[in-house]
Amino acid sequence: MRAQRRIERRRFLGRAASGGAALLLGGCDRLSHSTWFSRMLNSAEQVNRHVQTAITPPGTRGRSYTEADLSPHFKSNGTHDPSDPDYQSLARNDFAEWRLEVGGLVDPPMHLSLADLRALPAVTQITRHDCVEGWSCIGKWTGAPLRTVLEPLGVQRRARYVMFFCYDTVGAAGEKYYESIDLEEVQHPQTILAYGMNDRTLPIPYGAPLRLRLGRQLGYKMAKYLKRIELVESFRHVEGGNGGLYEDNGYEWYAGT
Ligand SMILES: Nc1nc2c(c(=O)[nH]1)N[C@H]1C(S)=C(S)[C@@H](COP(=O)(O)O)O[C@H]1N2
Ligand SMILES: [Mo]
């Protein structure tokens, strides 16, 4: 039964987030004028933009920390090592054959290697990771800002969200981990595709070879073990329809900290 299944999955995933912001869309007023980001605002989004701006002022960054603040032991949560056979075989060869698929509203679809991503200007940031289960760790993350990954690509102007699909499954039902963010979050300087952690190659328990890092949202938004990203106009008809596996289980889509 669907209700029973929901309860079991919720139990597996942990306690539901309390409070939090309502579903917030759009929010593009600090975006650049030259790119696809600025071209798709409609009046409904303008209204939502005011709501989001009131809660998270545009340009707000998550707090940055120093080396002295780094957690001696960063917790690995959720999946620690995906059992997917494709993932396992990629891992055996240090992800040399791994490619990030970029699809959906982008012409042409792309496959990016780790070398492609490392060739982009890298950013490093020390930020706090807050899990909805009630723990926090501070880590140092290195990667390519998502905006610099997407900007050279032929992203269609209809695109409003980026979806992230992962190699692992979670819970008794074995559903694929996935997540999504909107264009404001894509443009945020702390939104990076991270391949490094604490000055090392990103280890498997933390999402190797590539994971999403955000500056201002909770841990479950930061998809590990990335396989494919997809530009979409709406996430309503993807997987459970709520923009992420946690969201399909009742958690907030905008998981601001
Ligand atoms: N693919 C995938 N991404 C995921 C998870 C997961 O199980 N699978 N867990 C999420 C949760 S709830 C948290 S708190 C963080 C944990 O990241 P960490 O293992 O680096 O601490 O990853 C998030 N992203
Ligand atoms: Mo979490």
Side-chain angles (χ1 to χ4, degrees):
M1 236 182 80
R2 172 129 182 98
Q4 181 59 32
R5 199 160 140 254
R6 272 181 78 91
I7 290 163
E8 282 164 8
R9 285 162 57 192
R10 211 183 251 243
R11 200 174 290 142
F12 179 89
L13 291 166
R15 286 191 321 115
S18 59
L23 180 69
L24 297 171
L25 306 171
C28 299
D29 48 354
R30 63 190 176 73
L31 306 184
S32 95
H33 299 292
S34 57
T35 68
W36 52 279
F37 297 105
S38 60
R39 294 198 296 255
M40 82 305 282
L41 288 176
N42 61 36
S43 56
E45 283 179 310
Q46 303 274 4
V47 173
N48 284 321
R49 181 160 55 135
H50 290 300
V51 179
Q52 172 143 357
T53 302
I55 295 166
T56 311
T60 303
R61 283 184 180 239
R63 186 177 157 191
S64 286
Y65 293 79
T66 67
E67 303 266 341
D69 301 316
L70 288 173
S71 299
H73 302 291
F74 200 103
K75 185 175 158 70
S76 164
N77 202 36
T79 303
H80 307 297
D81 187 3
S83 57
D84 180 278
D86 291 341
Y87 181 87
Q88 287 292 328
S89 88
L90 290 166
R92 273 193 292 277
N93 203 10
D94 285 333
F95 301 104
E97 282 89 41
W98 173 91
R99 297 290 182 273
L100 179 67
E101 303 167 26
V102 185
L105 300 173
V106 56
D107 300 314
M110 300 285 290
H111 288 79
L112 303 175
S113 66
L114 284 169
D116 293 332
L117 294 164
R118 287 177 185 276
L120 295 168
V123 302
T124 293
Q125 56 202 22
I126 300 177
T127 50
R128 197 185 66 219
H129 177 107
D130 299 319
C131 175
V132 76
E133 292 164 15
W135 55 271
S136 298
C137 287
I138 294 172
K140 183 178 183 182
W141 309 95
T142 301
L146 181 56
R147 58 191 293 174
T148 66
V149 176
L150 294 179
E151 261 166 5
L153 308 186
V155 176
Q156 294 178 24
R157 62 180 66 196
R158 281 188 296 136
R160 292 175 57 189
Y161 301 92
V162 178
M163 308 213 64
F164 302 83
F165 298 97
C166 309
Y167 274 100
D168 59 318
T169 58
V170 174
E175 283 164 292
K176 285 269 176 198
Y177 204 100
Y178 78 105
E179 258 303 338
S180 63
I181 58 174
D182 67 9
L183 297 183
E184 173 169 356
E185 211 64 20
V186 170
Q187 279 288 66
H188 193 275
Q190 288 174 313
T191 297
I192 68 173
L193 297 180
Y195 45 72
M197 178 185 186
N198 295 343
D199 297 318
R200 295 162 55 201
T201 301
L202 183 66
I204 286 178
Y206 307 99
L210 193 75
R211 78 170 306 171
L212 178 64
R213 291 295 314 174
L214 306 171
R216 309 176 296 183
Q217 296 205 47
L218 292 170
Y220 64 82
K221 295 295 290 186
M222 301 190 224
K224 310 197 278 188
Y225 314 114
L226 293 181
K227 175 186 169 78
R228 172 177 172 82
I229 66 177
E230 202 165 311
L231 284 294
V232 298
E233 191 171 1
S234 164
F235 50 70
R236 288 297 168 204
H237 301 290
V238 182
E239 302 290 339
N242 297 295
L245 182 59
Y246 267 66
E247 290 85 337
D248 289 337
N249 287 275
Y251 289 77
E252 299 290 343
W253 180 79
Y254 187 82
T257 55

